[in-house]
Amino acid sequence: MTKETPDQGRYAARGVSATKTEVHDAVDKLDQGVFPGAFCKVVPDVLTGDPKKCNLIHADGSGTKSLIAYLHYKETGEASIFRGIAQDSIVMNLDDLLCVGATGPILFNSTVNRNARNFDGKALAELINGNEAFLAKLREFGVNIVSGGGETADVGDITDTVTVDSCAVAVMDRDQVITGQKIVPGLAIIGISSAGQATYEDFPNSGIGSNGLTSARHELLSHYYAEKYPETFDKATDKQYVYCGPYKLGDTLPGSDMSVGQALLSPTRTYAPIITKLLAEQPEAVRGLVHCSGGGQGKCLRFGQKVHFVKDKLMPLPPIFKVIREVSGTSWKEMYQVFNMGHRMEVYCPHESADTLLEIIRGFGVEAQVIGHTEESQREGGQNHLTLTHEGEALEYAL
Amino acid sequence: MTKETPDQGRYAARGVSATKTEVHDAVDKLDQGVFPGAFCKVVPDVLTGDPKKCNLIHADGSGTKSLIAYLHYKETGEASIFRGIAQDSIVMNLDDLLCVGATGPILFNSTVNRNARNFDGKALAELINGNEAFLAKLREFGVNIVSGGGETADVGDITDTVTVDSCAVAVMDRDQVITGQKIVPGLAIIGISSAGQATYEDFPNSGIGSNGLTSARHELLSHYYAEKYPETFDKATDKQYVYCGPYKLGDTLPGSDMSVGQALLSPTRTYAPIITKLLAEQPEAVRGLVHCSGGGQGKCLRFGQKVHFVKDKLMPLPPIFKVIREVSGTSWKEMYQVFNMGHRMEVYCPHESADTLLEIIRGFGVEAQVIGHTEESQREGGQNHLTLTHEGEALEYAL
């Protein structure tokens, strides 16, 4: 069942840019900080003025994943579903910070923009308490992250539903920063699974994370939701792209024990306990970390110089991504640019260190394997590029 | 021209809570930090672990003021109007931080949630560059505030327009924190005008700030905007409350040299240069600071203990507030709970220090006067309460 769609077409048709060209155009002109090639912007130590230290302040949120929780809440009355959205918003920051080596202490804050009529006090309380509970759990697992407050704005003229955003701050020693400069030719790439259940998790994860959820929601869910909850989609989107899937939230996801709702709402896994241990025990081996968030498997292209990323031994595709592909007919090339497709965290290391790192990772009950390697760029001027092998077919990517 | 409206009715009719009861209910159960009575939540020094220091992480945004800029942009094509929205979002954080004595260094971050179809790259660039420009200007005036990055999310299914939020972080010496404990009976209250032109400003300000803008927009602006820009209001709001005013953005605001658009979009004044000087030169005299933001003139009620706030010598009402009152028929009691009504910053000081502080403030070209005083609470259990005199009539407020 393949629909006719141009590459990157379906994502763009819903008003979302997978490559964020416009945003990068505006931001790339700004000062790029102390380590321009690092995964997050790193600035001098504004906060305490120590020349040996630096600061990170990072913002991200749960994006449109909140809308799936909203649908679930409206259908079932279960406000506790928003606890997962709190986790999504936190992890989208925390796991970006991990990629520069910031494993805590981290100071955290959250912002909710809501339509108070549709997103009520009960839902809000779950979001706020969910934040606190997830941070407490992270602290149990050795991640020093503390909430310093939050803000809720009633902006019913701007949204019919809710956005959930967070900001995370760290002060780091400059010599501890993972700068991205060590992502060079000649390394192994370890992928750490986004699916399954880690020793520090209470239930299995579909692997979905918090990227590509606009697409996943519309592709999987039935037009029933468009008719019943018109507040959950952009009226300017062509109807054929709005909730055009076959499923209701309670339906079983093919190839899985989860419902479609459970799979779509799986809270984004944090890799913080794993990365903290890797950096503590094998600091020399960890040459680079890439969080495959916005941009999916193409995220790596922005890091390192003159690198040809070769991902030719990817992990098995979790069912959620198979199903999205099947019902949408999205091209495989676009699928890998929108979704993490099985691993959301990459560790770049010398080939000879891979086994040691894999053993540590697997100690957390999470699947991991060498999914590829880096070599010299074959492009003119040494431009970074990526060759990703999907079922024997090579897909090519560059910025 | 007075319409029949119950107290607090018009604000609530638009889905906005002036008193934020629901939000306070959820948040008040959380840990209140190191100085529970302070204007902002203050937490231990998570970031560097110094027992003599503490941390602040504060989030706020431009709220629905972005919608007025959006209308202006759509009508005129002038994307630069969003530079003022960047300022609004920054100042809503900065001026809250001032109230605990945090005058910098401050690390800053911004988050934009946008509908990429309606809020385009040109507008986004102005917002991002506007942030940088305003922060640079603050630094010129001695406020050490630095941007550490930002995030833009394309969430067209959540918003038809745009939200602009910020987060600001500071590390402070604990003994420098203004804790709110010194707001006691027996002090003078200085109000610092929200209108006019400070020596550090490029043009005059209407005084509007960034609070009450949902109300101000609908009360002042013509139904023309409802018909032309249906994406800028909540369809669940009763039509009688939607853009029910007489004005277009280009019309002259009665009693003023400004247009209605200029008045509504006056970027929120920061008091940072003034407060920085007051705290540097008269630290003992400044017993408390209250930013009259959400909650307007009733904001003070949350600070100090067993205090009767008496505001009986308010400054002249700027034209923008007169006009909103006149066209809306909103009760005066509600007007003072929604808008700053003429002064957005209050300094609590001994009566004998008032003249010295006023001289410093007026050096910045900003009007200021003793607008009232504090005395012992006359309520049972010593509950804080406020008596505000409007044109000879006493209005009573309590939490």
Side-chain angles (χ1 to χ4, degrees):
Chain A
M1 180 172 131
T2 302
K3 295 174 193 164
E4 268 186 54
T5 48
D7 275 356
Q8 301 186 37
R10 298 181 73 79
Y11 215 56
R14 297 192 179 96
V16 180
S17 162
T19 50
K20 282 195 163 181
T21 313
E22 265 185 359
V23 178
H24 287 300
D25 282 353
V27 171
D28 287 353
K29 287 173 198 143
L30 304 178
D31 169 52
Q32 295 301 303
V34 185
F35 302 109
F39 194 88
C40 303
K41 185 170 178 180
V42 182
V43 296
D45 182 20
V46 174
L47 291 171
T48 69
D50 186 335
K52 290 188 179 163
K53 291 187 188 284
C54 57
N55 296 165
L56 291 134
I57 181 165
H58 194 275
D60 208 337
S62 64
T64 60
K65 197 165 177 175
S66 60
L67 291 175
I68 308 174
Y70 177 89
L71 295 176
H72 177 93
Y73 176 45
K74 292 291 166 177
E75 291 277 293
T76 66
E78 286 169 14
S80 61
I81 196 70
F82 286 108
R83 288 181 170 248
I85 298 299
Q87 176 171 336
D88 291 317
S89 181
I90 292 168
V91 174
M92 290 304 287
N93 286 285
L94 175 58
D95 282 26
D96 274 5
L97 287 182
L98 296 177
C99 294
V100 291
T103 54
I106 291 169
L107 185 62
F108 173 87
N109 185 300
S110 68
T111 295
V112 177
N113 283 297
R114 68 163 178 166
N115 183 303
R117 288 189 183 105
N118 292 337
F119 184 86
D120 60 13
K122 199 173 143 196
L124 180 66
E126 291 292 343
L127 212 45
I128 291 172
N129 296 329
N131 264 335
E132 297 297 321
F134 185 65
L135 295 181
K137 187 165 184 200
L138 285 169
R139 289 192 294 269
E140 258 179 54
F141 287 96
V143 184
N144 183 0
I145 180 166
V146 173
S147 167
E151 165 71 5
T152 299
D154 292 353
V155 289
D157 283 344
I158 300 184
T159 179
D160 284 333
T161 54
V162 64
T163 61
V164 181
D165 292 301
S166 304
C167 185
V169 181
V171 176
M172 272 184 87
D173 289 337
R174 290 195 185 200
D175 61 13
Q176 297 289 309
V177 173
I178 299 172
T179 64
Q181 297 302 317
K182 293 183 184 167
I183 295 182
V184 294
L187 298 173
I189 311 177
I190 291 174
I192 315 181
S193 178
S194 54
Q197 183 174 350
T199 51
Y200 53 86
E201 292 172 329
D202 298 328
F203 46 83
N205 198 304
S206 71
I208 190 78
S210 294
N211 291 101
L213 268 296
T214 296
S215 181
R217 178 170 43 94
H218 287 300
E219 297 295 6
L220 291 190
L221 297 185
S222 144
H223 208 66
Y224 162 83
Y225 297 103
E227 280 156 25
K228 199 158 170 199
Y229 305 104
E231 69 271 29
T232 64
F233 63 93
D234 188 342
K235 305 308 164 292
T237 299
D238 191 322
K239 262 194 187 169
Q240 66 171 306
Y241 296 112
V242 175
Y243 293 113
C244 49
Y247 300 112
K248 289 202 180 176
L249 290 168
D251 291 346
T252 301
L253 184 79
S256 152
D257 294 335
M258 292 183 194
S259 69
V260 170
Q262 284 171 327
L264 287 176
L265 286 168
S266 274
T268 309
R269 162 174 297 159
T270 179
Y271 295 96
I274 298 173
I275 302 300
T276 301
K277 192 164 186 190
L278 289 181
L279 291 175
E281 297 188 1
Q282 295 288 327
E284 290 306 312
V286 179
R287 299 294 166 85
L289 293 164
V290 173
H291 182 199
C292 305
S293 50
Q297 287 300 324
K299 188 78 173 188
C300 56
L301 289 164
R302 300 187 77 86
F303 306 100
Q305 283 175 344
K306 302 187 180 181
V307 177
H308 178 203
F309 298 88
V310 180
K311 301 188 184 179
D312 53 1
K313 297 186 285 286
L314 292 175
M315 286 191 280
L317 204 57
I320 182 77
F321 303 118
K322 280 188 195 166
V323 176
I324 293 169
R325 154 68 188 177
E326 198 174 296
V327 300
S328 69
T330 305
S331 73
W332 285 111
K333 183 162 181 176
E334 183 175 349
M335 286 296 293
Y336 282 98
Q337 282 180 297
V338 173
F339 300 101
N340 71 69
M341 300 296 271
H343 73 267
R344 230 186 69 240
M345 185 62 79
E346 289 172 350
V347 186
Y348 291 74
C349 66
H351 288 279
E352 61 274 20
S353 307
D355 285 343
T356 309
L357 299 189
L358 284 169
E359 199 184 324
I360 295 173
I361 296 165
R362 289 173 184 150
F364 289 91
V366 179
E367 293 295 321
Q369 67 187 42
V370 173
I371 57 95
H373 65 278
T374 58
E375 44 186 57
E376 291 249 358
S377 168
Q378 297 152 8
R379 297 285 179 100
E380 206 183 311
Q383 186 197 25
N384 283 356
H385 63 118
L386 161 66
T387 306
L388 183 151
T389 307
H390 171 77
E391 292 177 358
E393 187 196 352
L395 304 173
E396 297 290 337
Y397 301 85
L399 282 185
Chain B
M1 182 172 127
T2 302
K3 295 175 195 164
E4 268 186 54
T5 48
D7 275 357
Q8 301 188 37
R10 298 180 73 80
Y11 215 55
R14 296 192 180 95
V16 180
S17 162
T19 51
K20 282 194 163 183
T21 312
E22 267 185 355
V23 179
H24 286 302
D25 281 352
V27 171
D28 287 354
K29 287 173 198 145
L30 304 178
D31 168 53
Q32 295 302 300
V34 186
F35 301 109
F39 194 86
C40 302
K41 185 171 176 179
V42 182
V43 295
D45 181 21
V46 174
L47 290 170
T48 69
D50 186 333
K52 288 188 180 163
K53 290 187 189 285
C54 56
N55 296 165
L56 290 135
I57 181 164
H58 193 275
D60 208 339
S62 65
T64 60
K65 196 164 177 176
S66 60
L67 291 175
I68 307 175
Y70 177 90
L71 294 175
H72 178 93
Y73 177 45
K74 292 293 165 176
E75 291 277 293
T76 66
E78 287 169 13
S80 62
I81 196 70
F82 287 107
R83 289 180 169 248
I85 298 298
Q87 176 171 337
D88 291 317
S89 182
I90 293 168
V91 174
M92 289 305 286
N93 285 285
L94 176 57
D95 282 28
D96 274 5
L97 287 182
L98 296 177
C99 294
V100 291
T103 54
I106 291 169
L107 185 61
F108 172 87
N109 185 299
S110 68
T111 295
V112 177
N113 283 297
R114 69 162 178 166
N115 184 303
R117 289 190 182 103
N118 292 336
F119 185 85
D120 60 13
K122 198 173 144 196
L124 181 66
E126 291 291 345
L127 212 45
I128 291 171
N129 296 329
N131 263 335
E132 297 297 321
F134 185 65
L135 295 182
K137 188 164 184 200
L138 285 171
R139 289 191 294 269
E140 258 179 54
F141 287 96
V143 184
N144 183 0
I145 181 166
V146 174
S147 168
E151 165 71 6
T152 300
D154 292 354
V155 289
D157 283 343
I158 301 185
T159 179
D160 285 333
T161 55
V162 65
T163 60
V164 181
D165 293 300
S166 305
C167 185
V169 181
V171 177
M172 272 185 88
D173 290 336
R174 289 195 185 198
D175 61 12
Q176 297 289 308
V177 173
I178 299 172
T179 63
Q181 297 302 317
K182 292 183 183 167
I183 295 183
V184 292
L187 299 172
I189 311 175
I190 291 174
I192 315 182
S193 178
S194 54
Q197 184 174 349
T199 51
Y200 53 86
E201 292 173 329
D202 298 328
F203 45 84
N205 197 304
S206 72
I208 190 76
S210 293
N211 291 99
L213 267 297
T214 297
S215 180
R217 177 169 44 92
H218 287 299
E219 298 295 5
L220 291 190
L221 297 185
S222 144
H223 208 66
Y224 162 84
Y225 297 102
E227 280 156 25
K228 200 160 169 196
Y229 305 103
E231 69 271 29
T232 64
F233 64 93
D234 188 343
K235 305 310 165 289
T237 299
D238 190 322
K239 263 193 184 170
Q240 67 171 307
Y241 296 112
V242 175
Y243 293 113
C244 49
Y247 300 111
K248 289 204 181 175
L249 290 167
D251 292 345
T252 302
L253 183 79
S256 152
D257 294 334
M258 293 183 193
S259 69
V260 170
Q262 285 170 327
L264 287 176
L265 286 167
S266 274
T268 309
R269 161 174 298 158
T270 180
Y271 295 96
I274 298 172
I275 302 298
T276 301
K277 192 163 186 189
L278 289 182
L279 291 176
E281 297 190 2
Q282 294 288 326
E284 291 304 313
V286 179
R287 300 293 167 86
L289 293 164
V290 172
H291 182 198
C292 306
S293 50
Q297 287 301 323
K299 189 79 171 185
C300 56
L301 288 165
R302 299 187 78 86
F303 305 99
Q305 283 176 344
K306 302 188 178 180
V307 178
H308 178 203
F309 298 88
V310 179
K311 301 187 183 179
D312 53 1
K313 297 186 285 285
L314 293 174
M315 286 192 280
L317 204 57
I320 182 76
F321 303 118
K322 279 187 196 165
V323 175
I324 292 169
R325 154 68 188 177
E326 197 174 297
V327 300
S328 68
T330 304
S331 73
W332 284 110
K333 183 162 183 178
E334 182 175 350
M335 287 295 293
Y336 282 98
Q337 282 180 297
V338 173
F339 300 101
N340 70 68
M341 301 294 271
H343 74 267
R344 229 185 71 243
M345 185 63 78
E346 289 173 350
V347 186
Y348 292 74
C349 67
H351 288 280
E352 60 273 22
S353 307
D355 284 344
T356 309
L357 300 188
L358 284 169
E359 199 183 324
I360 296 173
I361 297 165
R362 289 174 184 149
F364 288 91
V366 178
E367 292 295 321
Q369 68 187 42
V370 173
I371 57 94
H373 65 278
T374 58
E375 45 186 56
E376 291 250 356
S377 168
Q378 294 153 8
R379 296 286 178 100
E380 205 183 312
Q383 186 198 24
N384 283 355
H385 63 119
L386 161 66
T387 306
L388 184 152
T389 307
H390 171 78
E391 293 179 358
E393 186 196 352
L395 304 173
E396 297 291 337
Y397 300 86
L399 284 185

